[in-house]
Amino acid sequence: MSKEAKAPNAVLTFGKEQILSSKSFTALEKDVLQAILAEGQEYTLAQARTEIEKYAKRRVE
């Protein structure tokens, strides 16, 4: 978790491994997140869900 998360009213962010170990996502969603989230970057749960949606709606050429 980032240091900003300790401040009141702060948005919680999590690293890739923390998100992948979360019970907030299904196994399929975790597979997608494993492929698309960057190592060393932190995400909110909402950002992770948005990334899944963008991946699902992408156009394959």
Side-chain angles (χ1 to χ4, degrees), residues 1-4 13-16 18 40-44 47:
M1 227 174 355
S2 71
K3 293 179 183 176
E4 297 91 36
T13 58
F14 305 93
K16 181 177 180 176
Q18 290 175 306
Q41 189 170 348
E42 294 193 344
Y43 303 87
T44 64
Q47 287 173 319

Side-chain angles (χ1 to χ4, degrees), residues 29-53:
E29 290 172 326
K30 288 179 183 179
D31 287 344
V32 171
L33 291 169
Q34 174 68 35
I36 62 176
L37 295 183
E39 292 289 337
Q41 189 170 348
E42 294 193 344
Y43 303 87
T44 64
L45 294 180
Q47 287 173 319
R49 292 212 180 276
T50 299
E51 291 299 320
I52 292 170
E53 289 174 19

Side-chain angles (χ1 to χ4, degrees), residues 2-25:
S2 71
K3 293 179 183 176
E4 297 91 36
K6 294 180 183 178
N9 300 326
V11 176
L12 295 177
T13 58
F14 305 93
K16 181 177 180 176
E17 290 304 317
Q18 290 175 306
I19 291 174
L20 294 176
S21 65
S22 168
K23 292 182 180 180
S24 297
F25 299 98

